[in-house]
Amino acid sequence: MKKKPVDFPILLTTVILVALGIVMVFSASYYYSAERWGDSLYFFKRQCLWAVIGFAGMFVASRVDYSRLQRYSRIFMIISILLLVLVLLIGEPRNNAKRWLGIGSLTIQPAEIAKFAIIFFISDSMARAGGKMKRFLKDVLPILLVVGMVFGLIVKQPNLSTAGSIVILTLVMLFIGGLNLWYFAGLAAAGAVGAVVLTVVAGYRLDRYKAFIDPWADPLKSGWQLIQSLYSLGSGGLFGLGLAQSRQKYLYLPYPETDFIFAIIGEELGFVGATFLILLFLILIWRGIRVALTAPDLFGSFLSAGIISMIAIQAVINIAVVTASMPPTGLPLPFISYGGSSLAMFLTGIGVLLNVSRHCRTV
Amino acid sequence: MSAPAVTNRKRLLFLLLMISLMLIGLIVRNGYIQLVWGRELQEKALEQWTRSLDVYPQRGIIYDRNKEVLAQSASADSIAVRPSQLADAKYTADRLAEILELDAEELYQKISDTSKSEVWVKRQLTREESVQIRELNIKGIYFTEEPKRYYPNGNLASHILGFTMKYAEPGEGIKGQEGIELYYDKYLKGWPGQIVMETDAHGRETPTNVERMIPPIDGWNVILTIDQAIQHFAEKAVSDAMEQYRANKVYCIVMDPNTGDILAMANRPDFDPNDPPRELGYEGMEAFVKNIAAKDNMDPGSTFKIITTAAALEAGVISRNSTFNDPGYRIVDGQRIRCWRAGGHGHQNLFEAVQNSCNPAFMDMALGLGTKQFYGYLDAFGFGSRTGIDIYGEEKGVVMSRSSVKNVDLARMGFGQAIAVTPLQLINAVSAVINGGNLMQPRLVRALEFDDGNEYIYEEMKPVKLREVISDSTSLLMREILESVVKKGSGKNAYIPGYRVAGKTGTAQKYSPGGGIKQGAVIASFIGFAPADDPQVVVLFMVDEPQVAVDFGSVVAAPYVKMILEDTLHYLGVEPVFDENTSQETKSVIVPEVTGKPLVEAVKELREAGLDYLAEQTGTVVIKQVPLPGAEVLVDTTVLLYTGNEGDSGEDPVDEELVTVPDLTRKSIREANNILTSEGLKLKIEGIGLAVGQAPAPGTMVEPGTTVTVYFETPE
């Protein structure tokens, strides 16, 4: 079969997103960075390095025929689970959580790898089931067990946000895979109940929820982050204060280079810049779904759908949190937020998506 | 392998729809936050980004009528520490404690409390302390200029000037609490400015910070009607009287009868406005700080007879040729009211009656006027109501209600009993009697002045004539009568050779709190003016409870009025005239040049020349003299000597050493302000940002107080 060129809009959108991300990471972090590390370029340099690694991963992934990867899906899953176990044993603790494994001077998050292992694993399983998912025990249960194990390991770190996003990802993929809608409704309900239980059990999560309902009830503590995020966005107005002109990054807004980078974008580039960013995501998602729709086989279709769903889930949740549209939870904004593993894995994922696009039927 | 089935494709499209809806929903939500809610959020954000420092204006100067400084502001630095910005609180505490002589441990506790954004360490540093701390150059220490009020003449005119108090919060400046400081506070205080700077969440300036300064507007200067020299004469007189007679209180007002200008106003007890006696508590302090000349109601006694006479003449009840018979008493409403002189004065004409201060004569006048007319004149002369002078809390006097007045009361009022007045009301009414008949509104301020170096405004206050009370001819006759009192009557002690002095004595009984007459306690008073044919100055002098057993008004008060009038007339350049109206010629002498000479030597020279002297301020060298050298004055004239120390210039007793203009290049507005202030220079700001140029250039030698214009530009 003669291969087509890659889907150009996906490539272009991705490059623009990464470039924007690097600029914004620099702008958002340089003050805090100088303060914390004595080097205003600390985050910027690392993000650049990871972008290079990510683009290399993307290039390689786009060149390797995805169908040849299918057979490694389960091994990939097993390796990723082992890494999750390893991080609990020898991980670097930061902020009371063991999420990172150090490799030389760089650190990786096994949970980021696990996301993609899950996408491969579920795509493979569902493709084998022929896109029907009729038999609960044979088709659905193995997936639930594996996902359950991964979920448990990530919660143990603890990192409920990432674990939660994997649950949502699984539900979305099962939905695409043709799961009976009653089963789907049951699983979604179970997930919702689980989320409520976990929120109530851990007091700090309940506080976050209360802070979401009324950030000004406790403006200096639990409400601080949301209020500062709103101040950033509000200060931006239509056209923003201008690149590098954020005031909120002067230690007012916590995590300006990671979870709350969207707020700094809103402050510096205004409503126009923020909307442009959301539209870039919309284009990317649309092109990604299009790849899934026109993929030559079920594995390719599910793989594409999984990758693009992961991006969509994180983008929606991250922006919803920053705009105080949902209770706060820490998920990075794909391609934009500072964070090497996340950036590299998403870029590699885009590489896979591009590879699938080369095999697509012409619509 | 098969391509995605229909179900999968439908569900993918459904997924795309859902994600798109969510993202569009987020665009709308974000649009609401950024565009609709944004303004409110931005305002709150702005509040947290900026910190503003108040910059206090210079309080206006209070001058006397010749622009001699009576009260002025200087500023002293106060320091505050921002605990969150200190690199080493222990080191900072130790150094500061050393320089400021504070307890290092206590200070450390204070400045290491990072829950406070700012901690005040010490207010009003001395210049040396300030310089030493600036040299430490520790980040996190902030200087604020705090104004301090100085009254260079100490107690002089303390009741007029009043005093100021500091606000509870340092850096908020000072406000007037009494006197002119209070009455004109809104002009004197000026309008504060602000330095606004952007800070990070820990209160540190951000790298993009551009300081903005809204400069303060200095207060208006107040130019009083008071003449410092005349005030000195009055102060000297009340001090002497207080001491000589061990009196309760002494009052003195010197006024220009034609304009209502108060030229001097001195009372005892008094206080030093630099350090008002706050330790005495409100009540205790009141005894010293109250301007009793405007706030005490008292029986006027015989000086009030001037008013009765003027009213009776004006109403036509009596005339120049009227005669009175005094058997030693009058029986009014069945009550026997005695003259002060046992046996009475017998048959007298009007002039004699006033010279003798004969009570029955004034009873006749008051009764002749009747309640209606008499009260008409009381009102017209301003008794029972405030004069409207610029003093808060002025008293109105006490006048019986018209309806309850009986003849016996009316008769007593005629010679100055059964009525209470303030010294100010009395002198103001007498001024109207002698100035041609016009009641003026007495005043302490002749002009307000604004001067910030760029703009000059001078607002002159015009004298206010309230009403015409008596005719010019009655006034003329009154002057003649009162001059005769000094020439021939009870006022002889006020007589000054070469001048036509007029006046009237007074001795008022005092009442004990129960209402009865307080035995042996009187208020001795004298009101005098000169020249009698064209009054320039009127002086009221009252001594409360002098410890002497003599004819009070004439002995106790008149000599002081004479002293003040004599000095004042010489000072004002009113030449003595020796003709049939004044006495024999008195020797006149030339004032020698004593400026620049040691005080001891100057005194000796003046004595040899036959002159008296009065030395003001405590220095060893004469820096100024009044009258000036070469003036021809009468023997015994008082020469006022202003003294200072070796090296002081005559023009300004303040240290006039030149200072070097510092280099301000690349300094922020606040830094520039601090540097210039520490050198005693003033800042004028052009533009915002960092300093790029200045005039005069760095290194130039200038006088302290010079304004340095600094040009600021926002860095690229």
Side-chain angles (χ1 to χ4, degrees):
Chain A
M1 191 161 73
K2 180 139 171 35
K3 283 173 190 163
K4 300 192 298 168
V6 297
D7 186 281
F8 185 70
I10 292 181
L11 181 61
L12 181 66
T13 316
T14 305
V15 170
I16 296 174
L17 281 170
V18 173
L20 180 65
I22 288 175
V23 171
M24 292 316 296
V25 162
F26 174 62
S27 174
S29 73
Y30 77 84
Y31 189 74
Y32 168 69
S33 186
E35 170 83 15
R36 171 73 178 76
W37 302 101
D39 173 9
S40 54
L41 300 176
Y42 181 87
F43 292 102
F44 173 70
K45 287 190 288 201
R46 276 164 182 72
Q47 188 74 345
C48 286
L49 179 59
W50 278 108
V52 170
I53 294 171
F55 277 115
M58 183 171 95
F59 180 75
V60 172
S62 69
R63 291 273 152 181
V64 177
D65 199 337
Y66 72 92
S67 52
R68 282 165 60 191
L69 295 174
Q70 189 171 4
R71 74 184 73 146
Y72 301 114
S73 294
R74 292 181 183 186
I75 297 167
F76 188 20
M77 191 71 247
I78 290 164
I79 293 170
S80 137
I81 288 172
L82 288 177
L83 283 173
L84 285 174
V85 173
L86 197 63
V87 81
L88 287 179
L89 298 175
I90 62 157
E92 246 179 64
R94 279 189 214 163
N95 304 326
N96 299 322
K98 285 184 171 181
R99 296 178 186 174
W100 289 269
L101 276 179
I103 303 172
S105 68
L106 297 175
T107 54
I108 59 159
Q109 284 204 57
E112 293 295 331
I113 296 168
K115 281 179 195 169
F116 287 88
I118 291 250
I119 293 169
F120 273 86
F121 175 72
I122 295 177
S123 300
D124 175 45
S125 303
M126 294 198 306
R128 283 165 197 269
K132 299 242 166 35
M133 309 299 285
K134 288 267 157 60
R135 297 157 302 177
F136 186 77
L137 286 180
K138 196 162 189 301
D139 299 340
V140 183
L141 195 60
I143 294 174
L144 294 183
L145 288 176
V146 170
V147 170
M149 189 191 292
V150 170
F151 178 80
L153 286 168
I154 297 177
V155 167
K156 197 95 175 97
Q157 290 181 351
N159 188 351
L160 188 66
S161 320
T162 303
S165 71
I166 285 174
V167 171
I168 297 169
L169 172 70
T170 305
L171 284 170
V172 170
M173 289 193 71
L174 288 174
F175 174 74
I176 302 297
L179 180 67
N180 178 310
L181 285 176
W182 287 108
Y183 286 167
F184 178 77
L187 286 175
V193 170
V196 171
V197 170
L198 284 171
T199 302
V200 176
V201 167
Y204 75 92
R205 292 188 192 119
L206 198 61
D207 283 347
R208 280 195 196 174
Y209 178 73
K210 284 181 188 158
F212 160 67
I213 296 300
D214 181 11
W216 275 274
D218 186 8
L220 294 180
K221 288 190 180 144
S222 61
W224 175 263
Q225 202 172 38
L226 265 191
I227 290 172
Q228 296 307 325
S229 180
L230 290 171
Y231 282 178
S232 285
L233 293 172
S235 306
L238 185 58
F239 295 108
L241 299 177
L243 195 60
Q245 296 300 309
S246 162
R247 300 293 192 274
Q248 288 290 91
K249 67 187 174 195
Y250 293 125
L251 312 184
Y252 292 105
L253 179 66
Y255 306 116
E257 77 286 3
T258 58
D259 294 355
F260 283 85
I261 197 162
F262 183 79
I264 301 293
I265 292 172
E267 187 181 351
E268 296 195 346
L269 307 179
F271 175 68
V272 170
T275 304
F276 173 70
L277 177 69
I278 295 176
L279 290 177
L280 282 179
F281 276 113
L282 198 53
I283 292 167
L284 184 65
I285 290 160
W286 162 56
R287 294 305 294 188
I289 299 264
R290 191 174 171 277
V291 169
L293 283 168
T294 56
D297 57 14
L298 284 171
F299 180 67
S301 175
F302 295 150
L303 199 56
S304 309
I307 291 165
I308 215 66
S309 296
M310 194 68 232
I311 293 169
I313 290 164
Q314 286 199 199
V316 167
I317 291 180
N318 178 278
I319 296 171
V321 167
V322 171
T323 55
S325 314
M326 66 172 278
T329 183
L331 276 184
L333 187 59
F335 309 111
I336 306 288
S337 288
Y338 172 76
S341 316
S342 167
L343 179 60
M345 288 313 295
F346 274 117
L347 283 176
T348 309
I350 291 292
V352 174
L353 188 64
L354 288 173
N355 183 261
V356 176
S357 75
R358 302 178 73 185
H359 299 87
C360 283
R361 288 167 288 124
T362 315
V363 180
Chain B
M1 287 280 168
S2 56
V6 177
T7 313
N8 303 128
R9 300 178 63 170
K10 273 188 184 165
R11 290 190 178 184
L12 276 169
L13 287 170
F14 180 73
L15 180 68
L16 177 61
L17 178 69
M18 293 308 292
I19 295 172
S20 304
L21 286 178
M22 282 194 266
L23 286 176
I24 289 166
L26 288 173
I27 291 176
V28 173
R29 165 73 177 163
N30 184 47
Y32 168 74
I33 295 171
Q34 296 209 267
L35 306 178
V36 182
W37 195 5
R39 188 174 292 260
E40 185 192 334
L41 290 168
Q42 188 172 16
E43 245 166 57
K44 289 183 180 169
L46 207 63
E47 233 169 78
Q48 83 174 6
W49 298 339
T50 54
R51 166 183 283 276
S52 58
L53 288 175
D54 284 333
V55 185
Y56 277 81
Q58 192 91 323
R59 192 175 172 84
I61 300 168
I62 302 177
Y63 291 112
D64 87 336
R65 67 188 299 126
N66 302 316
K67 291 204 75 177
E68 296 288 342
V69 174
L70 297 178
Q72 66 184 347
S73 288
S75 47
D77 275 323
S78 290
I79 64 161
V81 164
R82 298 210 187 120
S84 64
Q85 298 180 21
L86 288 177
D88 185 346
K90 185 81 191 109
Y91 171 81
T92 310
D94 287 347
R95 294 287 82 74
L96 288 181
E98 199 177 293
I99 295 167
L100 301 173
E101 289 169 8
L102 298 171
D103 184 76
E105 186 50 38
E106 207 174 290
L107 186 60
Y108 173 70
Q109 296 296 334
K110 223 166 128 185
I111 67 169
S112 57
D113 179 3
T114 44
S115 68
K116 301 234 170 62
S117 71
E118 202 165 77
V119 181
W120 285 92
V121 176
K122 194 178 177 192
R123 296 173 72 167
Q124 312 255 359
L125 307 185
T126 64
R127 181 80 180 266
E128 295 76 49
E129 286 172 337
S130 173
V131 169
Q132 284 180 40
I133 294 169
R134 278 172 203 279
E135 277 169 359
L136 290 176
N137 205 9
I138 295 176
K139 200 178 168 217
I141 295 181
Y142 289 83
F143 291 83
T144 300
E145 251 188 271
E146 268 200 284
K148 199 176 160 136
R149 199 70 165 157
Y150 290 103
Y151 302 88
N153 300 305
N155 289 31
L156 184 96
S158 55
H159 294 112
I160 299 164
L161 298 173
F163 52 95
T164 59
M165 64 185 282
K166 291 191 189 90
Y167 283 97
E169 278 295 307
E172 281 195 345
I174 51 178
K175 65 174 176 186
Q177 200 182 345
E178 267 291 349
I180 290 294
E181 294 278 23
L182 173 64
Y183 201 91
Y184 288 91
D185 191 50
K186 66 179 174 194
Y187 294 100
L188 287 164
K189 70 182 179 193
W191 292 263
Q194 270 193 333
I195 293 177
V196 179
M197 56 184 175
E198 288 182 1
T199 62
D200 72 7
H202 300 318
R204 294 168 298 195
E205 284 173 54
T206 62
T208 50
N209 173 39
V210 175
E211 276 176 11
R212 272 155 243 269
M213 174 154 169
I214 306 161
I217 301 170
D218 288 346
W220 287 62
N221 300 329
V222 172
I223 301 166
L224 300 182
T225 55
I226 299 301
D227 188 308
Q228 185 177 304
I230 300 173
Q231 182 73 29
H232 274 301
F233 304 145
E235 297 278 358
K236 171 88 165 71
V238 291
S239 275
D240 287 358
M242 190 75 176
E243 199 176 318
Q244 188 175 350
Y245 298 117
R246 282 172 285 128
N248 221 355
K249 303 178 189 176
V250 183
Y251 311 73
C252 176
I253 304 173
V254 181
M255 199 163 156
D256 177 344
N258 304 303
T259 58
D261 282 8
I262 305 289
L263 298 173
M265 191 181 237
N267 308 307
R268 290 293 178 274
D270 65 342
F271 67 102
D272 181 355
N274 289 303
D275 183 22
R278 294 183 207 276
E279 66 280 2
L280 301 178
Y282 180 78
E283 300 272 329
M285 186 158 109
E286 189 67 1
F288 293 88
V289 306
K290 182 176 168 186
N291 190 348
I292 51 178
K295 297 182 183 183
D296 269 0
N297 290 322
M298 60 180 72
D299 266 25
S302 306
T303 47
F304 194 76
K305 290 169 182 166
I306 299 171
I307 307 302
T308 309
T309 313
L313 280 171
E314 180 69 15
V317 173
I318 56 165
S319 69
R320 184 184 189 97
N321 305 316
S322 296
T323 56
F324 302 87
N325 185 38
D326 171 23
Y329 58 88
R330 277 281 185 284
I331 294 177
V332 184
D333 289 347
Q335 267 193 51
R336 186 188 166 99
I337 308 174
R338 275 181 301 189
C339 184
W340 62 269
R341 180 173 173 187
H345 295 94
H347 199 76
Q348 312 153 89
N349 66 24
L350 174 61
F351 282 68
E352 288 162 343
V354 180
Q355 286 160 20
N356 296 332
S357 200
C358 170
N359 289 353
F362 298 97
M363 295 188 223
D364 291 353
M365 293 183 206
L367 291 169
L369 280 163
T371 307
K372 190 167 174 230
Q373 281 196 90
F374 190 77
Y375 267 70
Y377 282 103
L378 287 185
D379 287 349
F381 277 116
F383 295 105
S385 53
R386 297 192 176 86
T387 63
I389 195 173
D390 13 23
I391 297 173
Y392 278 126
E394 187 198 353
E395 272 294 335
K396 293 195 281 196
V398 183
V399 179
M400 283 179 146
S401 88
R402 198 176 295 227
S403 54
S404 59
V405 171
K406 294 186 275 256
N407 279 338
V408 63
D409 302 317
L410 199 60
R412 284 182 182 282
M413 279 189 245
F415 60 91
Q417 284 183 8
I419 184 169
V421 304
T422 67
L424 181 65
Q425 280 179 329
L426 185 63
I427 192 173
N428 200 44
V430 170
S431 292
V433 171
I434 63 172
N435 71 6
N438 299 316
L439 189 78
M440 305 301 291
Q441 180 170 304
R443 60 184 197 145
L444 286 169
V445 172
R446 68 192 305 217
L448 296 172
E449 178 193 65
F450 178 81
D451 185 5
D452 69 352
N454 299 323
E455 199 186 356
Y456 184 83
I457 309 170
Y458 186 86
E459 263 186 33
E460 197 177 340
M461 324 272 246
K462 294 268 177 296
V464 178
K465 175 184 159 182
L466 296 173
R467 63 190 84 93
E468 192 180 317
V469 184
I470 57 171
S471 67
D472 207 15
S473 58
T474 308
S475 179
L476 183 69
L477 177 55
M478 283 306 297
R479 294 200 294 266
E480 206 180 310
I481 293 170
L482 292 170
E483 190 181 4
S484 78
V485 175
V486 174
K487 269 187 172 166
K488 302 170 185 163
S490 52
K492 283 191 196 106
N493 280 341
Y495 173 73
I496 309 166
Y499 290 98
R500 295 178 61 178
V501 180
K504 177 82 191 74
T505 57
T507 305
Q509 284 158 332
K510 288 192 75 182
Y511 297 89
S512 49
I517 289 171
K518 194 172 170 188
Q519 286 302 327
V522 297
I523 298 170
S525 58
F526 190 86
I527 187 160
F529 60 93
D533 53 337
D534 177 22
Q536 299 299 309
V537 192
V538 53
V539 179
L540 171 63
F541 201 90
M542 302 175 105
V543 183
D544 183 20
E545 296 195 21
Q547 305 298 311
V548 282
V550 286
D551 178 5
F552 302 102
S554 55
V555 171
V556 174
Y560 288 108
V561 172
K562 173 194 167 171
M563 207 167 94
I564 295 167
L565 274 178
E566 193 172 9
D567 290 340
T568 304
L569 291 168
H570 289 163
Y571 167 78
L572 293 178
V574 178
E575 296 293 331
V577 180
F578 297 96
D579 56 18
E580 73 278 10
N581 287 317
T582 61
S583 83
Q584 303 80 0
E585 191 165 338
T586 309
K587 209 180 135 203
S588 65
V589 294
I590 304 291
V591 178
E593 161 99 52
V594 294
T595 305
K597 293 183 178 169
L599 186 57
V600 195
E601 199 177 304
V603 168
K604 203 173 141 221
E605 273 188 43
L606 291 175
R607 285 219 174 110
E608 278 166 5
L611 294 166
D612 200 358
Y613 78 99
L614 182 57
E616 284 308 326
Q617 296 168 349
T618 48
T620 54
V621 177
V622 177
I623 54 173
K624 192 172 172 185
Q625 68 183 95
V626 177
L628 293 173
E632 190 177 329
V633 296
L634 288 180
V635 167
D636 280 346
T637 296
T638 302
V639 176
L640 196 54
L641 302 176
Y642 294 86
T643 59
N645 291 317
E646 205 82 44
D648 289 353
S649 98
E651 280 310 301
D652 192 344
V654 178
D655 194 354
E656 279 284 9
E657 235 173 281
L658 293 183
V659 296
T660 313
V661 176
D663 186 359
L664 300 167
T665 314
R666 312 277 319 149
K667 297 282 185 264
S668 71
I669 291 173
R670 193 162 40 84
E671 286 167 336
N673 191 36
N674 284 345
I675 294 169
L676 289 176
T677 306
S678 73
E679 297 290 343
L681 298 171
K682 283 185 182 168
L683 171 63
K684 180 162 174 271
I685 298 154
E686 295 282 352
I688 57 168
L690 297 178
V692 294
Q694 66 185 85
T700 314
M701 300 298 288
V702 296
E703 282 182 10
T706 301
T707 300
V708 179
T709 307
V710 183
Y711 302 91
F712 294 90
E713 261 175 30
T714 310
E716 290 304 317

